[in-house]
Structures are given as C-alpha cells and as structure tokens.
Amino acid sequence: MSQAVLDGVRDLLPSLRERADEAERLRVVPEASIKEIEETGFFRLLQPRRFDGLESDPVDFYTAVRDLAGACGSTGWVCSVVGVHPWQIALFSDEAQQAVWGSDTATRLSSSYAPTGRAVLTDGGYQLSGKWSFSSGCDHCSWVLLGGLVFDTEGQVVDFRTFLVPREKYQIVDVWNVVGLRGTGSNDIVVEETFVPEAFTLSMGDTGRCFGPGQEQNPSDLYKLPFHSIFTGTITTPIIGMAAGAYAEHVEMQNKRVRAAYLGEKASLDPFAAVRIARASSDIDAAWALLVNNVREEQAHVARGEKIPLRLRLKVRRDQVLGTQRAIDALDSLFEASGGRALAEGTYLQRAWRDAHAGRVHAANDPERALQMFGAHEFGHKIDPGMY
C-alpha cells in the first residue's frame, strides 16, 4: 500500500510545482493540493490500521515528504509536520484516539510544541491557556497538539506535556508574513483558559522513554520508536527535498545556459561547475543516507525487543542537524553558481533557497545543542533530558 501512496504522490508533483506561486501568494497551501494529497493516502501513512491507517515504514513517509518538498517547499513542509501527527496520536489514550478519529478517520492535526502555554493541575485534568506560534498547516486541521509546562497549585513546574485541543477551543491568529516557507500558514494558536482532560494529554517524560498508553491498542513496532527521532526527521526531510529539487533545476538550467561574460561558453562545459554539482549531490545524498540508516538502526533494536541505546538516539540527532546543514550548503553552492536568471520570481531555485533557510531556523535544527549532547556523551558525561 505504501508504494501506491508514493506513486500517487509522484503523479501530483507537476501540478504541485505549478501551484507553488499560488501557495506563496495565499500564504497557505491551496486546498486543492491538500485534497489531492489526501486522496493518495499520504496522511494515513503513519496512522494506526484500526483507524484506516497504513502503519507504514517511516522511511516511506520521509520519501514521500522529500518528493513533495522537491516540487514545493511549503507543501512538503506542511505535509511533513501534519502527516507525522497521527504517529503521536497513536500514543495517546484510547479515549483521545476515539475523539480524533472515531467519527472521521481523515481528521488532521497541527501542532506547536514549544511550552509557551501554561497548564495548571485541576481535578481530572488541566486548565490550559496561552499563545503558541508557528503552527504550520493549521488552517487545514481540526485539532491541535500544544506543548505546555504544568504547574501545581503552589506555582511549581511539575511536568511538560502535550495537550490535545479541538478546533472549537482555540483561535487561529493570522500573523504569517515572512520571506520563506510563506505557503505554510504557520500562524499563532491562542487558547483562552480551557479544561483539557488528563486522557487528552501526554507527558513528554513518557514519550522520551518511548512509552505511551496508546501502545496497548497500537502494538506495532512503529509506535515504539523515539519521539524526537521521528519528529526531528520531519523537519530535516523537507529541507533535503528542497535541496534535491534545487539540484534538478540547477542542472537543467546550466545545460541551457550560455555565459556571456565568458565569451559565450556553455555553462555545462565549465569544469568548476561540474565540481560544484558533484559536491552538492554528495552532500544531499549523504544527508538522506544517514537519515535512512539511522531509522533502520533504531528499527532493528525495536524488532529485537531491545531498548534503543542513548548513543544511537544522540547519533540520530547529530546526523539530523548535520543533514539539514549539508542540504543548506548544497543549495547555497548551487544558488551561487546559477546566475541572475535564478533570481526570477517563479523559479524553483530561489524559492527553495528562501524556504530552506526559513526551515533552518526551526528549533529542531539548532546544531550546537544536538552536537554538544553527542560530544559530551562520547566523553562520558551525563546528558540531561532534551531533544533526543
């Protein structure tokens, strides 16, 4: 079934590429694109089978995201971050899963995980309020996943949880006026004080140890992988896809380009241009290969019933942030060598350059923190819980 989804996604790529300018103009992925992508089954790739999902290999999901981003960066980004949420909902209590998918298995969710909201313990759950930024694709969703620090009655922080909130309990504030990833509609979410039942929350401490109550109903190995491995991959993969799409357009452009400043020399005959694309293609391939290899290593441990070693989880984060950097470096190199025509509105290359650099500033792509954790662990130091 996953192959059918991948084939369906690839059939859509020309039309998605044609709509990329429209996505930028609207500042949201066109509804027609979301509908067509939904019809391929893409949003069900990581969804439990008991709710009409496919429980697919995460690499299949990442492959589809890479291809989508290679046609339109904003579309690939939104599909990645919205498409991964069924994986997390599968970890929630059965009550929460039924609330999301019980009457409509096509329900989609957006998110904003930074704990900028405030939750206070109360009988049976939490009182949640606050404002969250950067909820990509929220206009196409009817639920949201929000991060929040939990305070006890004495004002002390006692937990960090994810809160599942239905559309009628939050507002979307249109603030997304940016230079890159313009089509993602990554607007603010505002929640006036509202009650969230305990069953509609998930402790980040539990997800950090690869546990969720939903594993009882969804026992697949898919849902035993680390949260931060799966989710940070959804941030790097679109950027790899943008670099791959830029690479394809750069090669096509250079095959047609004549460099007037160099006495009419064909750009494709420039030996330095050939070296540049060789380096760029290697960086893109390396970023992708390491991402796939790390997923496979984690899957092998889960299949054997083993706890995933901390070093491997840190390696996933190491290669994830460096994968983003490799893709950005490749894209920068190609953009610099593409000539003035690459600046024209409507070209994929300039849009990918802007989109990739916008994606680079996501918290999951902070290289120093991820690399410091890996290096400190190699030296034998204790690693505090974080994004690993």
Side-chain angles (χ1 to χ4, degrees), residues 20 83 99 226 267 308 366:
I308 298 172
D366 183 345

Side-chain angles (χ1 to χ4, degrees), residues 76 134 176 309 329:
F134 315 126
W176 195 242
D329 289 346

Side-chain angles (χ1 to χ4, degrees), residues 234-256:
T234 67
I235 300 303
T236 288
T237 298
I239 297 175
I240 296 173
M242 295 170 207
Y247 177 86
E249 180 163 277
H250 174 80
V251 171
E252 181 181 354
M253 290 174 65
Q254 298 311 297
N255 265 323
K256 299 174 182 177

Side-chain angles (χ1 to χ4, degrees), residues 269-285:
L269 296 177
D270 180 354
F272 303 109
V275 169
R276 193 176 287 247
I277 65 169
R279 290 185 181 278
S281 63
S282 180
D283 280 340
I284 296 166
D285 288 349

Side-chain angles (χ1 to χ4, degrees), residues 148-370:
L149 296 176
V150 178
F151 295 81
D152 62 17
T153 54
E154 297 177 355
Q156 300 299 310
V157 175
V158 294
D159 201 357
F160 172 19
R161 303 183 78 86
T162 300
F163 297 85
L164 176 61
V165 182
R167 182 64 186 87
E168 62 269 19
K169 291 188 176 182
Y170 63 88
Q171 296 178 330
I172 297 173
V173 182
D174 186 352
V175 297
W176 195 242
N177 297 289
V178 291
V179 297
L181 292 176
R182 282 180 58 82
T184 62
S186 302
N187 288 307
D188 286 356
I189 302 293
V190 175
V191 175
E192 302 295 340
E193 189 164 314
T194 190
F195 176 71
V196 181
E198 173 75 27
F200 284 60
T201 73
L202 200 60
S203 171
M204 294 301 287
D206 285 343
T207 53
R209 59 188 180 91
C210 302
F211 170 77
Q215 289 170 339
E216 183 176 346
Q217 294 83 32
N218 305 308
S220 167
D221 285 353
L222 170 63
Y223 304 115
K224 298 172 185 175
L225 293 166
F227 173 90
H228 284 115
S229 296
I230 293 293
F231 272 68
T232 58
T234 67
I235 300 303
T236 288
T237 298
I239 297 175
I240 296 173
M242 295 170 207
Y247 177 86
E249 180 163 277
H250 174 80
V251 171
E252 181 181 354
M253 290 174 65
Q254 298 311 297
N255 265 323
K256 299 174 182 177
R257 181 184 175 199
V258 174
R259 306 186 70 180
Y262 291 91
L263 304 178
E265 175 189 73
K266 290 184 177 180
S268 63
L269 296 177
D270 180 354
F272 303 109
V275 169
R276 193 176 287 247
I277 65 169
R279 290 185 181 278
S281 63
S282 180
D283 280 340
I284 296 166
D285 288 349
W288 178 249
L290 286 168
L291 185 148
V292 171
N293 181 71
N294 287 335
V295 171
R296 294 289 183 242
E297 281 196 51
E298 290 191 325
Q299 287 175 312
H301 283 282
V302 171
R304 293 192 296 265
E306 300 170 353
K307 182 179 179 180
I308 298 172
L310 176 57
R311 185 181 189 278
L312 176 54
R313 293 175 65 170
L314 293 171
K315 185 163 80 78
V316 169
R317 291 285 286 122
R318 178 199 73 186
D319 294 337
Q320 176 256 316
V321 296
L322 291 179
T324 293
Q325 192 59 59
R326 287 185 175 100
I328 294 281
D329 289 346
L331 220 168
D332 283 350
S333 177
L334 298 173
F335 188 66
E336 290 166 4
S338 289
R341 295 188 187 281
L343 299 172
E345 291 185 359
T347 62
Y348 179 89
L349 194 56
Q350 55 81 24
R351 187 185 305 109
W353 186 84
R354 289 185 287 109
D355 289 346
H357 279 273
R360 166 65 182 80
V361 302
H362 190 284
N365 286 325
D366 183 345
E368 288 79 14
R369 290 186 183 275

Side-chain angles (χ1 to χ4, degrees), residues 38 43-44 47 51-52 100-101 103-108 142:
E38 180 180 318
F43 292 111
R44 297 177 187 269
Q47 192 161 310
F51 291 111
D52 300 329
V100 172
W101 290 315
S103 60
D104 183 5
T105 58
T107 298
R108 293 186 296 269
S142 53

